[in-house]
Amino acid sequence: LVLALAFDGSRPGLDRLKAGRADLALLVLPPGEDDAAAAFESATLAYHRVVILVPPASPLVQVTLDQLAGIFGVGGRVGFTRWGELGLSGDWSGRAIVPQAAVAGAGIAAEYFRQVVLHGRDFRSNVGRYDSPVDLALRLAGESRAIALASSPPSTPGVAKIVPVATRAGGSSYLPTPENLHSGDYPLRLSLRVVFRRESAGALRPLWRFLFSDELAPLLERADVVPLPVAARQKQMLALERL
């Protein structure tokens, strides 16, 4: 199987498929544009996610999308500046919330969050911008009162706590596990999809066997995306084999 790689972006990749100049593409399309690839076969390979992080000592046990919008965005219905406004008590109640997000260009998590949760509004002026996982870990260390958006938690154990996210007040909250991402229970996710021409299915079978294999899963994690759960990968492979 001869491969020619072109790291040009999702929309150029989709254009190549439509023009017949490509047989398969790995695409990340914005919410609402799923129909753009409707003419092709498609399968979810992995998920980008936005993880909400706080220091390990934080008593925050969950957060809603509206609360996140009030913490990070300008011009929303409600703004939150103190931890007590989110129901925290004791020493945390009167402390200022210190929001953090990655600098522009450091992955897609912050921009995806801005589009989906803030509905295109800008980040507030008090949102700090970190430029690396090491920088993020430092901002969450010690007596930090930070809350951060990230694509994954820092690799150093004990640096941060992942906060479950609820779609609405009073609703169930979920952690960004592979199972919750795949079921759609965790709301801050964006699919990485394999999109291909149906007439090329037979020739591509060896490739997608690799793409959905246990061998590739750790490589996807290194690329900061979350592979499907094992059972879901196996089910997806069986569906593809029937084409």
Side-chain angles (χ1 to χ4, degrees):
L1 185 64
V2 179
L3 301 179
L5 302 181
F7 297 101
D8 294 334
S10 290
R11 288 194 176 92
L14 183 57
D15 289 341
R16 284 172 179 257
L17 282 173
K18 291 178 177 179
R21 292 186 288 114
D23 295 304
L24 178 144
L26 301 181
L27 304 181
V28 180
L29 297 174
E33 293 191 23
D34 290 341
D35 291 345
F40 305 97
E41 297 295 330
S42 177
T44 298
L45 176 64
Y47 296 97
H48 291 276
R49 61 182 179 175
V50 181
V51 177
I52 310 303
L53 302 175
V54 294
S58 170
L60 189 67
V61 295
Q62 70 170 31
V63 67
T64 68
L65 295 181
D66 280 347
Q67 288 173 331
L68 289 170
I71 293 169
F72 285 92
V74 299
R77 293 177 297 171
V78 180
F80 298 103
T81 59
R82 303 284 173 180
W83 283 109
E85 297 167 349
L86 298 181
L88 274 60
S89 58
D91 293 341
W92 284 75
S93 178
R95 297 290 187 90
I97 300 172
V98 184
Q100 304 286 333
V103 296
I108 67 173
E111 182 59 24
Y112 169 72
F113 179 91
R114 194 178 72 82
Q115 294 297 329
V116 172
V117 179
L118 304 185
H119 304 292
R121 302 193 309 273
D122 290 334
F123 284 109
R124 297 174 66 171
S125 60
N126 68 327
V127 175
R129 306 308 289 263
Y130 62 88
D131 59 12
S132 68
V134 173
D135 186 13
L136 172 59
L138 290 174
R139 294 174 186 234
L140 291 167
E143 295 298 316
S144 171
R145 295 296 188 264
I147 182 169
L149 309 175
S151 57
S152 59
S155 58
T156 305
V159 170
K161 179 175 77 172
I162 301 176
V163 181
V165 177
T167 303
R168 61 186 183 279
S172 298
S173 59
Y174 297 91
L175 288 167
T177 63
E179 293 75 17
N180 289 340
L181 290 167
H182 190 58
S183 68
D185 289 329
Y186 188 77
L188 298 176
R189 64 162 194 166
L190 189 59
S191 298
L192 170 63
R193 297 162 58 194
V194 181
V195 181
F196 57 94
R197 308 178 69 82
R198 187 179 182 89
E199 60 267 28
S200 303
L204 292 171
R205 189 167 285 116
L207 178 58
W208 74 50
R209 284 174 180 166
F210 171 68
L211 290 175
F212 290 94
S213 69
D214 293 340
E215 181 182 1
L216 184 68
L219 302 180
L220 292 171
E221 293 172 352
R222 283 171 52 187
D224 224 9
V225 292
V226 181
L228 300 187
V230 174
R233 290 204 303 271
Q234 294 172 346
K235 182 177 180 180
Q236 186 67 79
M237 178 60 68
L238 288 174
L240 290 171
E241 291 286 351
R242 297 190 186 103
L243 293 178

